[in-house]
Amino acid sequence: MLLPQYLLDVIECGTDEAGRGCLAGPVTAAAVILPQDFNNPVLNDSKKLTHKQRDLLRPIIETEAVSFSVIHIDIDTIDKINILNASILGMQESIRSLQTKPEHIAVDGNRFKPCDDIPYKCIIKGDGKYLNIASASILAKTYRDNYMEKIHEEFPMYNWKQNKGYPTKEHREAIRTHGPSKYHRKSFRLLPEQYQFNF
């Protein structure tokens, strides 16, 4: 059973990102502040839930949250500052976009940078421990999946509606056949053989 949040009796947001390991598309981050009495028996780390479960939970989270925010960090920024810094930037921007300012931040993972002098705690596998981080992971994942499904219509040969930009064998074969698109991350090794593309 997941706990509501890391620190009790403070306004705490959970934050997480999705798409860090992808070859194409943005990295998407979310921040969520939940009521302290919030509970949902299905809510868990987004990776442990089915597509249907995530889609059912998203409107529940959005309706019941005190505040939530979702931010996409585009591929140009990823290529400029690297994926780790882009992931942290996304989480910081999602926190800054909350309508209610948190008094504490619970971060999924082990890396973060100070955000407006708000105290924070990095929690490894936090999306499987705390409801506010799990909620952020679900929003980040579902918003990013929707983005990838939308740009799939522009470049259907990569099958992003299925692989969401992750480095599947099918995705890499499509890159090998068609070359990279404008949504592919230039700073990433798109193919194992490190073939250099002319973007």
Side-chain angles (χ1 to χ4, degrees):
M1 182 177 173
L2 275 63
L3 297 172
Q5 58 187 56
Y6 178 74
L7 290 182
L8 297 177
D9 302 321
V10 300
I11 300 171
E12 180 181 275
C13 77
T15 187
D16 198 2
E17 51 74 28
R20 190 165 157 180
C22 294
L23 303 179
V27 64
T28 303
V32 178
I33 299 173
L34 294 173
Q36 294 205 355
D37 61 353
F38 178 88
N39 194 21
N40 186 294
V42 181
L43 184 55
N44 204 334
D45 170 7
S46 66
K47 294 183 289 295
K48 296 178 181 177
L49 300 174
T50 65
H51 185 280
K52 184 176 181 181
Q53 286 174 318
R54 290 192 295 266
D55 283 348
L56 287 171
L57 284 165
R58 174 170 150 178
I60 294 171
I61 294 165
E62 292 179 340
T63 300
E64 298 195 30
V66 173
S67 184
F68 73 89
S69 174
V70 183
I71 297 290
H72 295 299
I73 300 296
D74 63 36
I75 58 166
D76 290 339
T77 304
I78 294 170
D79 288 333
K80 185 176 180 180
I81 66 174
N82 81 41
I83 188 61
L84 173 61
N85 287 323
S87 299
I88 292 170
L89 176 63
M91 290 189 282
Q92 291 174 324
E93 290 302 312
S94 66
I95 293 161
R96 292 185 178 114
S97 298
L98 291 168
Q99 291 185 337
T100 300
K101 183 176 180 178
E103 299 168 335
H104 187 261
I105 305 164
V107 183
D108 183 62
N110 62 356
R111 302 289 290 276
F112 194 62
K113 295 177 182 177
C115 180
D116 300 341
D117 296 320
I118 304 169
Y120 67 88
K121 174 71 175 178
C122 291
I123 303 159
I124 295 172
K125 296 185 178 178
D127 49 3
K129 298 174 182 176
Y130 299 101
L131 291 170
N132 55 4
I133 302 179
S135 297
S137 80
I138 287 166
L139 294 192
K141 172 68 174 164
T142 54
Y143 273 81
R144 188 181 186 283
D145 283 357
N146 288 351
Y147 183 99
M148 296 307 294
E149 288 160 9
K150 183 178 178 181
I151 64 173
H152 166 86
E153 302 302 321
E154 194 175 348
F155 292 97
M157 69 282 283
Y158 302 108
N159 200 18
W160 289 330
K161 70 178 180 182
Q162 185 68 37
N163 62 54
K164 305 300 189 289
Y166 282 92
T168 62
K169 184 178 179 181
E170 177 196 41
H171 188 187
R172 283 196 151 130
E173 283 300 323
I175 295 169
R176 196 173 279 114
T177 301
H178 302 284
S181 72
K182 64 182 181 181
Y183 295 110
H184 281 97
R185 301 173 183 176
K186 301 176 181 65
S187 57
F188 275 48
R189 189 172 73 172
L190 300 179
L191 296 175
E193 59 265 32
Q194 292 185 292
Y195 179 80
Q196 289 299 309
F197 293 104
N198 295 315
F199 281 85

